[in-house]
Amino acid sequence: MVPVNYYIILSAILFTIGAVGVLIRRNPLVIFMSVELMLNAANLAMVAFSSVYKSFSGQIFVFFVIAVAAAEVAVGLALIVEIFKTKHNINVDEMNSLKG
Amino acid sequence: MFNSTTFLAILPEILILVVAMLILVAEPFWKAEQRRNVGWLTAGGLFAVMIISLLFGRPGDPITVLGGMVRFDWLGFFFKMLFLFAGAATSLLLMDNDRVGHRGEAYLLLLASLLGMDLMAASADLVMLYLAIETTSIPLYILSGFMLADEHSTEAGFKYLLFGAMSSAVMLYGFSLLFGFAGTTNIYELKTVLAAGPNTLVMVLGIIFLLLVGLGFKVSVVPFHFWAPDVYQGAPTPVAGFLSTASKAAGFAVLTRLFFVAFPGFSQSWTLIFAVIATVTMTVGNLLALPQTNVKRLLAYSSIAHAGYVMIGVVSFSVLGAASVVFYLAAYIVTNLLAFGIVMAVSRIIGSDDVKDYSGLSRRNPGLALMMLAAFLSLAGMPPFGGFVAKVFVFAAGVQAGYVWLVIVGILNSIIGVYYYLNVMKYVYLFRMPNEDEEKHPVPLTRPYTIALVILALGVILVGTLFAPWFSWSDMAAMNLF
């Protein structure tokens, strides 16, 4: 059996990749993918811990997180489509009409 | 497992769902031009929910229901009543917003996010907490970007969503580590596990930092405040008002419960972190509010500064501190909703949020100007309004806990605040419209605005003058944390 430490290290790596992706990428679609990576890093940690403690609450948590992530992305994509309709561009750097 | 107490514990939530179903059924029967009546239905429904909950759904001794998911106590109950009040006022203010008010979905989304806030205030488990926070946030993302034809609105909604998704992912990672560390997701069990286990302080501080990112975003404290001014400016104004009051209060409800209940053993470390955050938040919020010329942006920075004042109560980590947080949020909700309501009513007629265009408002509508004076003086912390008493309690809690330097910073910041609040009132009362007769340009109020604004103005004065009952309720709520 793979020791739990390995899972946690993998999840930390995934989380870092996701966080860096959110901060440096300028395409909202890629940013969403990075956020998904962060969420899944948390999910992986949760499932790994859940098997250590022989408890279901971590796994149940993961189901809810997956559902919430889907809802969040649905709203995000809808907003991206609307922004594209008015601006014909979805680069995050171009979204600067609100300032001051 | 299910008994009558279970239903009483989630009575407000059940009734909110009933109101939402009523709206879904009733809305198609109204003609398009009558759809704004959904606002009356929502406000009346939420008012009825408040009355019924106050009559039948009052909590007794704190208990945990639904398999440890929901805590039924005065803290949650008091916050739920505040949210219901804010929701009712917001739906009245939504009605005459030309681009949002005639759409039934807007009210439905408002109710969905209210449901989430109620559960945020009551949740006793990390699973419930995460779900409640997302149930609150996702409808608010949609509402912020609701005016699809308006480039600013969609941009505001998208910015809010990006910041929100990012910070809630960080917080979720904190939850997963917390679960891995303690082996339980129940907030009330965390306390004993964290106290008993072989914990290293560094590990817990790391988790606290991750949690702070998510919760700091919800209450918009520096350095997680960047979204607030942009979103408040671009979002429909009633939504911005709701975001800055109810959503922020829900964040503080979670913050106090989570940190007071789950991390009491580490209070020396996290109160210091919070004290630093409070200092930076107050100072940055107030200083950035100074040069603002757009009233909505000014209120956004002022709401960041107010989050800093509330933080002083959290830092105190005492019964008085928690009570002052609850009281401050009650006073702040009525005051800031009044301020945003007035901005809505004015910008609907004059079509601008620029401070300069408020010139001569006292002659165009004296009653409205008077209410604006009450709201802004209360925000500045002047007696006899709610904001003054709230600040007194928060500062008293800070002094009692030995954070005198923090209270001094708070008082200095309040003085900065007085300057920019009164600066707006200078335009309203002292300046005249250039080359125009104000009598010919009245600012009339429609009936929903009148009702909502008068109730809110009375609330601001009531909280400030008859503060004893409010404070004893806040105190009762705070007692449940210890």
Side-chain angles (χ1 to χ4, degrees), chain B residues 13 36 47 80 86 103 129 147 152 156 199 209 224 236 243 278 290 306 323 326 331 382-383 390 414 455 461:
Chain B
E13 289 85 348
R36 69 189 269 282
F47 189 65
K80 283 179 192 178
R103 305 268 299 268
L129 189 57
M147 303 187 290
H152 295 309
N199 318 304
F209 173 75
F224 313 110
L243 273 179
L290 286 175
H306 279 277
V326 179
M382 294 279 188
S414 310
I455 290 177
I461 296 168

Side-chain angles (χ1 to χ4, degrees), chain B residues 70-147:
Chain B
V70 171
R71 181 92 169 168
F72 185 35
D73 61 6
W74 275 102
L75 183 74
F77 187 76
F78 193 73
F79 271 112
K80 283 179 192 178
M81 293 304 114
L82 285 181
F83 300 149
L84 287 173
F85 176 77
T90 308
S91 61
L92 282 182
L93 296 172
L94 266 173
M95 283 176 64
D96 283 313
N97 187 311
D98 298 330
R99 282 181 292 184
V100 185
H102 59 280
R103 305 268 299 268
E105 309 92 282
Y107 302 97
L108 214 58
L109 289 167
L110 187 77
L111 288 177
S113 105
L114 259 185
L115 190 70
M117 285 175 191
D118 276 14
L119 290 172
M120 266 169 90
S123 55
D125 194 287
L126 296 179
V127 182
M128 190 72 230
L129 189 57
Y130 178 72
L131 268 182
I133 289 176
E134 293 298 325
T135 315
T136 310
S137 302
I138 293 176
L140 288 176
Y141 301 150
I142 309 175
L143 276 175
S144 303
F146 203 76
M147 303 187 290

Side-chain angles (χ1 to χ4, degrees), chain B residues 324 327-328 331 378 381-395 460-468 471:
Chain B
S324 68
F327 187 90
Y328 199 106
S378 176
M382 294 279 188
F385 303 108
F388 168 71
V389 190
K391 276 209 177 73
V392 169
F393 284 135
V394 169
F395 291 158
V460 170
I461 296 168
L462 267 183
V463 175
T465 47
L466 299 171
F467 53 85
F471 190 73

Side-chain angles (χ1 to χ4, degrees), chain A residues 11 32 49 53 72 87 97 100, chain B residues 134 152 155 161 173 180 297:
Chain A
S11 105
F32 273 130
F49 287 131
Y53 289 109
E72 213 158 44
K87 282 194 171 174
S97 69
Chain B
E134 293 298 325
H152 295 309
E155 184 181 321
L161 178 117
Y173 199 66
R297 283 190 88 85

Side-chain angles (χ1 to χ4, degrees), chain B residues 243-281:
Chain B
L243 273 179
S244 78
T245 54
S247 173
K248 191 182 285 257
F252 271 110
V254 172
L255 200 71
T256 32
R257 193 189 288 274
L258 193 59
F259 280 87
F260 280 37
V261 172
F263 301 109
F266 303 88
S267 65
Q268 278 192 326
S269 316
W270 63 255
T271 50
L272 193 63
I273 300 174
F274 279 21
V276 173
I277 290 181
T279 311
V280 181
T281 305

